[in-house]
Structure formats: C-alpha cells, structure tokens
Amino acid sequence: MPIRQLSETMINQIAAGEVIERPASVVKELVENALDAGASRVEIVTAGGGLNLIRVTDDGSGIPEKELALAVARHCTSKLSDNIHDIRSLGFRGEALPSIGSVARLSIRSRTAGGDSAAEIGIDGGRVSAVKPAAANRGTTVEVRDLFFATPARLKFMKGERAESSATSDVVKRIAIAFPAVRFTLAGADRSTLELPATSDTPEGRLARVAQVMGKDFPDNAIAIDAVREGVHLAGHVSIPSYTRANALQQYAYVNGRPVRDKLIAGAIRGAFADVLPRDRHAVTVLFLSLDPSTVDVNVHPAKADVRFRDPGLVRGLIVGAIREALAGAGIRAATTGAAGMMAAFRPGAAPYSHAGPANGHRSYGSAYSGFSSSGFDPTRSPQRPLDMDAGEARSQANGFAENEQAAFDTGPLASADARAGIAEPSEALLGMVLGAARAQVHENYIVAQTRDSLVIVDQHAAHERLVYEALKNALHSRAVPSQMLLLPEIVDLPEEDAERLAMHSDTLAKFGLGLERFGPGAVAVRETPSMLGETNVQQLVRDLADEIADNDTVETLKERLDRIAATMACHGSVRSGRLLKAEEMNALLRQMEATPGSGTCNHGRPTYIELKLADIERLFGRR
C-alpha cells in the first residue's frame, strides 16, 4: 500500500483514542476549558453514564463568534504562548474539542461578555457545520451526544452505566479540590446530584472544599503540610496514621493546580508513611506542589495526567521530609472514627468494632462483646465477670440475683475485679495530659486511663513496640550503621549506567553500612554489608538499589530493609501481653507515648490506643 496523507477526520479519531478514553475524559477536558476561561460556576449534566449525553455549562469569558470555527480545529488554542516550557493553564494542546467531535455529536454555544448575542457551531462525527446565531447567557455550553457512535469498537470497552458515572464523579471531585472558589454541580438521570458550593481560595476555604469532597471526618483527622525547598512549595493535608483507607483512591495530588496521578508522588507518600501504616492500608492525602513551570514537563501524554520533574529527587525528598516532620510535630492523636466504631460495638445488634486485626493474637473486640444477647446478661459469657470466677460461681450468682438484689446494693461499693485497679487518685496535672492517668490494667494487656473529659484504652504491647522501634531507629540513623567486612569482595555485574549511579551514591550507602566501589566499566565490588542484615543476597540487594536510584534517585531500599529489621527487634523486645504492670510503669508508658512521634500506631499500623469522650459514654447511657 502506498504512503498517503490521512484524512482530517481519521487524524482526529486517532488522537481521540488517547485524549478521549471514556466519558469521564470528556468531562475532564470540558471542565478544564471552563476553568481556563475564568468560570466561577460550572454545571455538568450526564445521561447514560455520559455515553448518551454530557452537557457542561459555565459562566466564563466565552468564545467570540469569529473564533468558533478555530476552536474545533486541531492544534488551535488561545492558552499557549511561543514557549512550550511556560504552561500556566490546564489545557494547551488544542486537541480536545476536535477529538470529541470526531467520535460524537458535539455542539458549542457561546457568548462573550461584550457580545450582543451568542453563536453556535456543531460537529457530527467529524463533519463541521456552519456557525449560526443562538440565544444564550454569557459563557459557554458544550453538549456531547452519542459518544463513540462514530467508533463503535470503542463502545465495547465501556463499563456499565454506574461505573462510568462513578468515574465522572471522581474526575469532577479531583478538579473541584484545586478550585475551591468555583461552584460545581454534577447532575443527571443516571446519578444523584453532587453540589459543591464555592468556598474561598484560602487555606481555610481549601480545607472546607476538601471536606465537601472527602467527608467531614477528614479535617478532624488531618495534619497540615507547609514546606518549601529550593523554590518548590508543598502545601495541603495528610491523614493521621490511624485514619486510613483500603485503597489509594483518596490520595489527591496537584502540580501547579493541575490534578495528576504521578508515580513519583505516590511513591513518596508511600515512603513517608512506610512504618506507621499496615501494608494493606493507605493514607488519605491532598497535596499541592507549586514550582516554576519550566522545571516540570506536563506535555508527557495527551491526557496530561502524568508529569516529569527536572529534579525528581528534590520533589520526592520534599514530600517525604515534610510529611514525616508534620507527623512528628502533630504529637499523639487518635482517629475520631475509632470512638464511633467503639460506640457501635456497644449497641445491641451492631457490628463489632474492629481494626486491622486483633493485636498480638488476643481475642478480638467482637468476641469480647459476644456475651450480650437478646435473652439478657449472661455472667458465664461476659468478659466483665471477675477473672477468678469460674462458670459455676457465675451461674449461682445469676440465679440468686433476683432474690438478693437489695442485699447486693446494701453491701456498699463493689470490690474491683482486678487488683491493679486500686490505684491512688490521680493528680489534676496527670488528668490534663493527652493520655491522662492510668487507672487500671485489664486482661493483662490493656491499660485503662482517664483524662478530664475522656476514657483511654491502651494496648500496652503495641504501644511499647512503637517506643522501642523509634528508639532503635534513632540509634540506627544517628550514626553510621555497623558493617561487616566480606572475606572476598562480591562482584556484581551491572549495566554501565547503573554502576555509575551506584558509585555516585557510594558515600550515602556507606553510612548505611554498604561499602562498594567501581570495578571496571560495568560492575561494582561490594566489600562491606550492614551487620544487621546478616547473611544476605548481595547481588539482589545491589540490583534493587540500582533500580530504585534509576527511578527515584534515592537509596531508600537499603534504609527500609534496616528499618524492617529494627521493627522485628522491637516487636520481640517490647513489653509482652500478659505482663502485670505497676501504676508507675503504666503512667511512664503513657508519658513516653505522648513524647514519641507516631506512637498512635504500632510498627504494623494497628492503633495503640482508643479514646472515648465522656460525652459519648453519657450518650450510651442515655444521659444525653
């Protein structure tokens, strides 16, 4: 077949394969155009998951009648100057509208602020109609019908109506977080209406918009981030370690106001929370990166969701360092959702409160509360009966309770079921501390503490495990890691560029106990390894480090391995479940927790304590 020039429609349909992946992609492109036009109100209507109808209406600057024909032509845009490295708008490629028009029925109706009337243009499967007069308010309305009717093969890859509607909602929410001063409305017969009223473009206004999108619980469980390094500014909020999600869908990242899904940013967030979250849980984050547009490339892919940084190591280091510093400075905090889950466990018929798993193999909260049933209180099953009472004694007490109930109240205060509950009355100073004063130890693992306005339950093993781990890490990273000399140097063959990268980071690796040097053009010689690793696969370790340096320009792999060993040592060296503690020991543990960053979770990401406010307790008993 001879070489020939493709038709304009075919070119647009090929471009649409990258730009317009699904209905949510159309909504993204049209909403970005509205925001670039200075809109303060954006209304989106969909039908059939967006395949039947997408209508986006804004009150922006509008498109002059004489420019409508150019607006639907490829590579025509008003947003890009002669410098491709100075992009300050969301859109800039001039591909979205012609791409949409090549695979759907598109109409654009627009009126400028100074225009006497509106004008309209349409595209039907790539065929452009003439511009004609129309009636409209200031702004632009773009209507897309029968998406992919011109490319039926693409329709086979669409998911169900609900899935497509959900993807569109996610796109709108992601964009809305970056523009709090804009009012967004998403409605249609295929969905429930989403309304996001305008707030303000201030830190408080941005957090209010985040609460609209992510729920009112997030601001109460979030830590503010604000850091600058070498001209790169990072702001936003991250969740405390005890407030997590099962996936990373609620991790929002923005670069100069543009929503992105970047591997480097996602990896930095994962690294910052590495030793405070369970492996299967994810932090909730909203992060805004601001930097010189010339130092970031947003023209990586037509969808504009990927970016490339000129100095990725700087960006990654800023994110990891800022988050870890914020977590350390926030002190000890429990998630507000923990109290709600605990209260639900007390309610008859409710699902038992639980977290990632019962700590240290102990019985779960669900089994602890299984003694309650519709037939009433059963002391033979209740965890509240004295630990030294056998089942027979419990039954005899239950049978005789009715006839002796008055005598029971006449005997005066009941004796504590646990000898360690007889602790002296706490001072006012202790009650004012974050974790309060220890009042009892129950089931030889849980410390019950009291503050001025709450009840705190602490898992002693999990809490001490975190304290020992942090102490080991501090000792590990405050000086060079001890190393062991290899009897014979290990020669690792690598591509020349990987060997060069490792040699450039040799001084940093030496601080972690790994001594290596170049050994010819395509190899390195490893002479020392960290003592903590013991016998290790040197070849695999070096190759993993080379891959990480190539991706992120860091040597975190080695540090993470050492931290994992420290975590294992901490787990085996901390206070075991079942150990009886004196009042002084319990209070000392609470004070150490308050002074140690990250002590709200153990090394495995489980919560170390739960706080139940007095108001919640009173509500359980019908006092409120």
mmCIF file of all heavy atoms in Angstrom, residues 420 422-424 430 436-441 447 579-592:
data_model
loop_
_atom_site.group_PDB
_atom_site.id
_atom_site.type_symbol
_atom_site.label_atom_id
_atom_site.label_comp_id
_atom_site.label_asym_id
_atom_site.label_seq_id
_atom_site.Cartn_x
_atom_site.Cartn_y
_atom_site.Cartn_z
ATOM 1 N N ARG A 420 -5.099 -4.474 90.233
ATOM 2 C CA ARG A 420 -4.362 -3.319 89.767
ATOM 3 C C ARG A 420 -5.252 -2.101 89.578
ATOM 4 O O ARG A 420 -4.789 -1.041 89.180
ATOM 5 C CB ARG A 420 -3.634 -3.661 88.470
ATOM 6 C CG ARG A 420 -2.466 -4.593 88.694
ATOM 7 C CD ARG A 420 -1.960 -5.178 87.409
ATOM 8 N NE ARG A 420 -2.968 -5.877 86.622
ATOM 9 C CZ ARG A 420 -3.464 -7.070 86.954
ATOM 10 N NH1 ARG A 420 -3.057 -7.678 88.061
ATOM 11 N NH2 ARG A 420 -4.357 -7.651 86.192
ATOM 12 N N GLY A 422 -6.800 -0.724 92.004
ATOM 13 C CA GLY A 422 -6.719 0.060 93.227
ATOM 14 C C GLY A 422 -5.576 1.040 93.192
ATOM 15 O O GLY A 422 -4.621 0.962 93.977
ATOM 16 N N ILE A 423 -5.626 1.976 92.277
ATOM 17 C CA ILE A 423 -4.573 2.959 92.088
ATOM 18 C C ILE A 423 -4.974 4.252 92.762
ATOM 19 O O ILE A 423 -6.141 4.632 92.750
ATOM 20 C CB ILE A 423 -4.324 3.176 90.582
ATOM 21 C CG1 ILE A 423 -3.805 1.876 89.944
ATOM 22 C CG2 ILE A 423 -3.337 4.296 90.337
ATOM 23 C CD1 ILE A 423 -3.647 1.953 88.449
ATOM 24 N N ALA A 424 -4.000 4.933 93.315
ATOM 25 C CA ALA A 424 -4.286 6.182 94.020
ATOM 26 C C ALA A 424 -4.956 7.182 93.097
ATOM 27 O O ALA A 424 -4.758 7.175 91.882
ATOM 28 C CB ALA A 424 -2.986 6.753 94.569
ATOM 29 N N LEU A 430 -1.906 15.107 85.910
ATOM 30 C CA LEU A 430 -1.961 13.897 85.094
ATOM 31 C C LEU A 430 -3.226 13.843 84.261
ATOM 32 O O LEU A 430 -3.216 13.446 83.090
ATOM 33 C CB LEU A 430 -1.852 12.649 85.977
ATOM 34 C CG LEU A 430 -0.462 12.277 86.500
ATOM 35 C CD1 LEU A 430 -0.540 11.021 87.349
ATOM 36 C CD2 LEU A 430 0.512 12.072 85.347
ATOM 37 N N GLY A 436 -3.773 11.103 79.808
ATOM 38 C CA GLY A 436 -4.302 11.082 81.158
ATOM 39 C C GLY A 436 -3.518 10.227 82.124
ATOM 40 O O GLY A 436 -2.314 9.982 81.964
ATOM 41 N N ALA A 437 -4.224 9.744 83.134
ATOM 42 C CA ALA A 437 -3.616 8.955 84.209
ATOM 43 C C ALA A 437 -4.122 7.525 84.161
ATOM 44 O O ALA A 437 -5.302 7.276 83.933
ATOM 45 C CB ALA A 437 -3.964 9.570 85.564
ATOM 46 N N ALA A 438 -3.196 6.563 84.361
ATOM 47 C CA ALA A 438 -3.573 5.153 84.356
ATOM 48 C C ALA A 438 -4.468 4.852 85.547
ATOM 49 O O ALA A 438 -4.168 5.252 86.670
ATOM 50 C CB ALA A 438 -2.323 4.287 84.396
ATOM 51 N N ARG A 439 -5.558 4.140 85.319
ATOM 52 C CA ARG A 439 -6.500 3.798 86.382
ATOM 53 C C ARG A 439 -6.579 2.306 86.627
ATOM 54 O O ARG A 439 -6.974 1.867 87.688
ATOM 55 C CB ARG A 439 -7.893 4.322 86.035
ATOM 56 C CG ARG A 439 -7.957 5.826 85.796
ATOM 57 C CD ARG A 439 -7.673 6.589 87.078
ATOM 58 N NE ARG A 439 -8.821 6.593 87.970
ATOM 59 C CZ ARG A 439 -8.764 6.709 89.288
ATOM 60 N NH1 ARG A 439 -7.588 6.809 89.885
ATOM 61 N NH2 ARG A 439 -9.851 6.724 90.020
ATOM 62 N N ALA A 440 -6.263 1.498 85.590
ATOM 63 C CA ALA A 440 -6.363 0.048 85.753
ATOM 64 C C ALA A 440 -5.661 -0.643 84.598
ATOM 65 O O ALA A 440 -5.393 -0.042 83.556
ATOM 66 C CB ALA A 440 -7.826 -0.387 85.815
ATOM 67 N N GLN A 441 -5.363 -1.923 84.823
ATOM 68 C CA GLN A 441 -4.879 -2.791 83.756
ATOM 69 C C GLN A 441 -5.825 -3.986 83.696
ATOM 70 O O GLN A 441 -6.047 -4.650 84.714
ATOM 71 C CB GLN A 441 -3.453 -3.268 84.025
ATOM 72 C CG GLN A 441 -2.888 -4.154 82.909
ATOM 73 C CD GLN A 441 -1.594 -4.829 83.301
ATOM 74 O OE1 GLN A 441 -1.354 -5.065 84.490
ATOM 75 N NE2 GLN A 441 -0.753 -5.152 82.333
ATOM 76 N N ILE A 447 -4.346 -1.050 79.189
ATOM 77 C CA ILE A 447 -4.280 -0.030 80.232
ATOM 78 C C ILE A 447 -5.474 0.904 80.060
ATOM 79 O O ILE A 447 -5.689 1.447 78.970
ATOM 80 C CB ILE A 447 -2.966 0.771 80.149
ATOM 81 C CG1 ILE A 447 -1.768 -0.158 80.350
ATOM 82 C CG2 ILE A 447 -2.952 1.909 81.159
ATOM 83 C CD1 ILE A 447 -0.433 0.514 80.056
ATOM 84 N N ARG A 579 1.847 -9.319 80.827
ATOM 85 C CA ARG A 579 2.717 -8.862 81.910
ATOM 86 C C ARG A 579 1.978 -7.859 82.779
ATOM 87 O O ARG A 579 1.381 -6.903 82.282
ATOM 88 C CB ARG A 579 3.974 -8.220 81.324
ATOM 89 C CG ARG A 579 4.869 -7.618 82.399
ATOM 90 C CD ARG A 579 6.110 -7.000 81.810
ATOM 91 N NE ARG A 579 6.803 -6.173 82.775
ATOM 92 C CZ ARG A 579 7.890 -5.459 82.506
ATOM 93 N NH1 ARG A 579 8.414 -5.495 81.289
ATOM 94 N NH2 ARG A 579 8.458 -4.720 83.422
ATOM 95 N N LEU A 580 2.016 -8.064 84.065
ATOM 96 C CA LEU A 580 1.365 -7.156 85.001
ATOM 97 C C LEU A 580 2.234 -5.931 85.205
ATOM 98 O O LEU A 580 3.442 -6.038 85.435
ATOM 99 C CB LEU A 580 1.123 -7.857 86.343
ATOM 100 C CG LEU A 580 0.322 -9.168 86.288
ATOM 101 C CD1 LEU A 580 0.096 -9.709 87.691
ATOM 102 C CD2 LEU A 580 -0.997 -8.965 85.573
ATOM 103 N N LEU A 581 1.639 -4.757 85.132
ATOM 104 C CA LEU A 581 2.372 -3.509 85.287
ATOM 105 C C LEU A 581 1.913 -2.766 86.529
ATOM 106 O O LEU A 581 0.732 -2.763 86.859
ATOM 107 C CB LEU A 581 2.150 -2.613 84.055
ATOM 108 C CG LEU A 581 2.598 -3.163 82.695
ATOM 109 C CD1 LEU A 581 2.280 -2.149 81.605
ATOM 110 C CD2 LEU A 581 4.075 -3.506 82.698
ATOM 111 N N LYS A 582 2.868 -2.133 87.184
ATOM 112 C CA LYS A 582 2.539 -1.271 88.315
ATOM 113 C C LYS A 582 2.008 0.064 87.794
ATOM 114 O O LYS A 582 2.180 0.419 86.634
ATOM 115 C CB LYS A 582 3.777 -1.039 89.177
ATOM 116 C CG LYS A 582 4.365 -2.306 89.791
ATOM 117 C CD LYS A 582 5.625 -1.977 90.580
ATOM 118 C CE LYS A 582 6.248 -3.235 91.157
ATOM 119 N NZ LYS A 582 7.504 -2.928 91.902
ATOM 120 N N ALA A 583 1.382 0.811 88.693
ATOM 121 C CA ALA A 583 0.821 2.103 88.304
ATOM 122 C C ALA A 583 1.908 3.016 87.747
ATOM 123 O O ALA A 583 1.697 3.716 86.746
ATOM 124 C CB ALA A 583 0.137 2.758 89.500
ATOM 125 N N GLU A 584 3.096 2.996 88.375
ATOM 126 C CA GLU A 584 4.186 3.847 87.909
ATOM 127 C C GLU A 584 4.634 3.456 86.503
ATOM 128 O O GLU A 584 4.939 4.314 85.666
ATOM 129 C CB GLU A 584 5.377 3.758 88.873
ATOM 130 C CG GLU A 584 5.114 4.297 90.260
ATOM 131 C CD GLU A 584 4.351 3.308 91.139
ATOM 132 O OE1 GLU A 584 4.126 2.151 90.678
ATOM 133 O OE2 GLU A 584 3.960 3.681 92.257
ATOM 134 N N GLU A 585 4.664 2.139 86.218
ATOM 135 C CA GLU A 585 5.066 1.672 84.896
ATOM 136 C C GLU A 585 4.041 2.069 83.836
ATOM 137 O O GLU A 585 4.396 2.477 82.728
ATOM 138 C CB GLU A 585 5.247 0.154 84.914
ATOM 139 C CG GLU A 585 6.409 -0.322 85.767
ATOM 140 C CD GLU A 585 6.480 -1.829 85.850
ATOM 141 O OE1 GLU A 585 5.434 -2.466 86.096
ATOM 142 O OE2 GLU A 585 7.581 -2.379 85.668
ATOM 143 N N MET A 586 2.766 1.933 84.188
ATOM 144 C CA MET A 586 1.724 2.296 83.227
ATOM 145 C C MET A 586 1.772 3.782 82.909
ATOM 146 O O MET A 586 1.692 4.187 81.740
ATOM 147 C CB MET A 586 0.347 1.905 83.775
ATOM 148 C CG MET A 586 0.101 0.403 83.805
ATOM 149 S SD MET A 586 -1.599 -0.025 84.235
ATOM 150 C CE MET A 586 -1.580 0.212 86.010
ATOM 151 N N ASN A 587 1.911 4.622 83.922
ATOM 152 C CA ASN A 587 1.975 6.067 83.682
ATOM 153 C C ASN A 587 3.240 6.447 82.914
ATOM 154 O O ASN A 587 3.214 7.347 82.067
ATOM 155 C CB ASN A 587 1.913 6.824 85.005
ATOM 156 C CG ASN A 587 0.490 6.971 85.512
ATOM 157 O OD1 ASN A 587 -0.409 7.356 84.774
ATOM 158 N ND2 ASN A 587 0.280 6.654 86.784
ATOM 159 N N ALA A 588 4.349 5.767 83.203
ATOM 160 C CA ALA A 588 5.585 6.037 82.461
ATOM 161 C C ALA A 588 5.408 5.700 80.983
ATOM 162 O O ALA A 588 5.887 6.423 80.098
ATOM 163 C CB ALA A 588 6.736 5.234 83.055
ATOM 164 N N LEU A 589 4.707 4.606 80.692
ATOM 165 C CA LEU A 589 4.441 4.223 79.313
ATOM 166 C C LEU A 589 3.580 5.281 78.607
ATOM 167 O O LEU A 589 3.854 5.668 77.459
ATOM 168 C CB LEU A 589 3.738 2.866 79.270
ATOM 169 C CG LEU A 589 3.430 2.293 77.879
ATOM 170 C CD1 LEU A 589 4.710 2.018 77.114
ATOM 171 C CD2 LEU A 589 2.595 1.026 77.981
ATOM 172 N N LEU A 590 2.577 5.796 79.307
ATOM 173 C CA LEU A 590 1.721 6.828 78.717
ATOM 174 C C LEU A 590 2.511 8.094 78.415
ATOM 175 O O LEU A 590 2.328 8.728 77.369
ATOM 176 C CB LEU A 590 0.555 7.147 79.663
ATOM 177 C CG LEU A 590 -0.409 5.997 79.992
ATOM 178 C CD1 LEU A 590 -1.507 6.487 80.929
ATOM 179 C CD2 LEU A 590 -1.015 5.416 78.726
ATOM 180 N N ARG A 591 3.405 8.488 79.354
ATOM 181 C CA ARG A 591 4.192 9.703 79.134
ATOM 182 C C ARG A 591 5.158 9.533 77.957
ATOM 183 O O ARG A 591 5.374 10.459 77.177
ATOM 184 C CB ARG A 591 4.972 10.054 80.403
ATOM 185 C CG ARG A 591 4.152 10.285 81.668
ATOM 186 C CD ARG A 591 3.276 11.517 81.597
ATOM 187 N NE ARG A 591 2.047 11.341 80.863
ATOM 188 C CZ ARG A 591 0.947 10.749 81.354
ATOM 189 N NH1 ARG A 591 0.923 10.261 82.565
ATOM 190 N NH2 ARG A 591 -0.143 10.662 80.609
ATOM 191 N N GLN A 592 5.735 8.336 77.819
ATOM 192 C CA GLN A 592 6.628 8.083 76.690
ATOM 193 C C GLN A 592 5.870 8.139 75.371
ATOM 194 O O GLN A 592 6.367 8.649 74.377
ATOM 195 C CB GLN A 592 7.306 6.716 76.845
ATOM 196 C CG GLN A 592 8.484 6.696 77.795
ATOM 197 C CD GLN A 592 9.165 5.339 77.780
ATOM 198 O OE1 GLN A 592 8.758 4.415 78.467
ATOM 199 N NE2 GLN A 592 10.204 5.230 76.970
#
